[in-house]
């Protein structure tokens, strides 16, 4: 993963700020509406109804600076997707940021994991409605959701603190506990509950860690 990030840092422009995006010309009337700023790009976005959260992570690796888009699905099929922004554009009124990105794919063979970028480029729009409220769309099946320009629109709350731990405990643990209870149904009721709880807690830690990804 680190090697991939080093490589991507050489080809993907640093997108941690809006410095590379042309500043819009804001009219007097438009100036009254909330506009996306650099601070917004350093925050987390969470939505309880969809059980999803995402953020832009700026990293430094191999002497280069780059940005990752990290999307956490804490729903019925818990998973974390990592994307690499390839381009973005701020609307003329400064309210909507359109981001194009490619997902990082992980393939494991013979106990060795390799990474690569999807050939397909995805797009999603983040629209600022107020100082803390933003909208974005989610597309895909329950088992494979992602940020997109089509699908259902959700209102996300901007926050300084990562929602991963709370969302994992509230939404992910019950899902995993139920799955492990079924997996250990051949055991006694006591052991079944013990192991189901133990493995569910491990899953919560893994989900939280994957969302709060740290480049080593």
């Amino acid at each position: 993963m680190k090697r991939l990030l080093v490589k991507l840092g050489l080809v993907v422009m640093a997108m941690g700020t809006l410095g590379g995006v042309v500043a819009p010309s804001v009219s007097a009337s438009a100036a009254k509406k909330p506009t996306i700023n650099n601070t917004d790009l350093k925050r987390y976005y969470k939505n309880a109804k969809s059980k999803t959260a995402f953020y832009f992570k700026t990293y430094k690796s191999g002497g280069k600076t780059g940005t990752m888009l990290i999307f956490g699905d804490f729903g019925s099929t818990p998973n974390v997707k990592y994307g690499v922004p390839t381009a973005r554009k701020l609307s003329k009124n400064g309210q909507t940021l359109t981001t194009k990105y490619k997902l990082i794919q992980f393939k494991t063979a013979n106990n060795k994991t390799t990474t690569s970028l999807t050939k397909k480029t995805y797009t999603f729009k983040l629209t600022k409605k107020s100082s803390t409220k933003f909208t974005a769309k989610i597309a895909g099946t329950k088992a494979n959701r992602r940020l997109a320009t089509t699908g259902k629109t959700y209102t996300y709350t901007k926050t300084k603190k990562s929602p991963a731990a709370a969302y994992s405990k509230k939404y992910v643990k019950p899902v995993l506990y139920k799955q492990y209870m079924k997996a250990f149904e051949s055991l006694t009721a006591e052991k079944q509950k013990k192991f189901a709880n133990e493995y569910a807690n491990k899953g919560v830690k893994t989900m939280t860690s994957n969302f709060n990804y740290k480049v080593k």
Side-chain angles (χ1 to χ4, degrees), residues 44-117:
Y44 298 92
Y45 295 89
K46 63 179 183 179
N47 177 270
K49 188 174 182 179
S50 67
K51 299 178 182 178
T52 62
F54 66 91
Y55 67 107
F56 291 100
K57 181 179 181 63
T58 300
Y59 66 88
K60 290 185 178 181
S61 186
K64 297 293 181 178
T65 300
T67 299
M68 290 177 67
L69 171 61
I70 300 181
F71 175 77
D73 187 341
F74 300 84
S76 58
T77 308
N79 68 90
V80 177
K81 289 184 173 62
Y82 302 97
V84 175
T86 57
R88 73 180 167 199
K89 182 179 180 181
L90 194 62
S91 61
K92 290 184 178 181
N93 64 7
Q95 283 187 279
T96 300
L97 180 65
T98 300
T99 301
K100 291 186 177 182
Y101 67 97
K102 290 188 176 184
L103 289 172
I104 297 177
Q105 300 178 117
F106 298 86
K107 294 182 179 180
T108 301
N110 299 321
N111 295 320
K112 182 179 180 181
T113 300
T114 57
T115 55
S116 63
L117 290 178

Side-chain angles (χ1 to χ4, degrees), residues 2-215:
K2 181 178 180 181
R3 289 185 177 181
L4 175 63
L5 295 180
V6 171
K7 181 179 179 181
L8 295 176
L10 298 175
V11 298
V12 179
M13 64 178 175
M15 302 177 72
T17 69
L18 292 174
V21 181
V22 179
S25 55
V26 184
S27 64
S29 60
K32 297 179 181 179
K33 297 180 180 180
T35 56
I36 292 176
N37 54 57
N38 289 329
T39 300
D40 294 329
L41 303 184
K42 300 176 183 179
R43 298 292 184 258
Y44 298 92
Y45 295 89
K46 63 179 183 179
N47 177 270
K49 188 174 182 179
S50 67
K51 299 178 182 178
T52 62
F54 66 91
Y55 67 107
F56 291 100
K57 181 179 181 63
T58 300
Y59 66 88
K60 290 185 178 181
S61 186
K64 297 293 181 178
T65 300
T67 299
M68 290 177 67
L69 171 61
I70 300 181
F71 175 77
D73 187 341
F74 300 84
S76 58
T77 308
N79 68 90
V80 177
K81 289 184 173 62
Y82 302 97
V84 175
T86 57
R88 73 180 167 199
K89 182 179 180 181
L90 194 62
S91 61
K92 290 184 178 181
N93 64 7
Q95 283 187 279
T96 300
L97 180 65
T98 300
T99 301
K100 291 186 177 182
Y101 67 97
K102 290 188 176 184
L103 289 172
I104 297 177
Q105 300 178 117
F106 298 86
K107 294 182 179 180
T108 301
N110 299 321
N111 295 320
K112 182 179 180 181
T113 300
T114 57
T115 55
S116 63
L117 290 178
T118 55
K119 292 183 179 180
K120 184 175 181 179
T121 298
Y122 301 94
T123 305
F124 90 96
K125 294 183 178 182
L126 180 66
T127 300
K128 190 170 186 176
K129 296 296 184 178
S130 69
S131 60
T132 59
K133 301 298 181 182
F134 294 70
T135 59
K137 291 184 177 181
I138 299 295
T141 62
K142 289 184 178 180
N144 188 28
R145 296 193 291 176
R146 57 179 171 74
L147 291 164
T149 52
T150 59
K152 189 172 182 179
T153 300
Y154 291 97
T155 297
Y156 285 83
T157 300
K158 183 179 72 174
T159 176
K160 289 184 179 180
K161 183 180 179 181
S162 169
Y167 273 23
S168 292
K169 184 177 181 180
K170 185 175 182 179
Y171 303 123
V172 176
K173 185 174 180 178
V175 170
L176 296 182
Y177 183 80
K178 184 177 181 180
Q179 293 177 355
Y180 285 122
M181 280 292 285
K182 186 176 182 180
F184 295 122
E185 61 184 1
S186 62
L187 302 179
T188 62
E190 183 179 354
K191 288 186 177 181
Q192 182 185 23
K193 292 180 180 179
K194 177 184 177 181
F195 286 120
N197 190 61
E198 180 181 330
Y199 280 89
N201 283 332
K202 287 182 179 179
V204 166
K205 289 183 179 180
T206 298
M207 184 70 184
T208 301
S209 177
N210 287 347
F211 184 81
N212 298 332
Y213 180 76
K214 293 183 179 181
V215 180

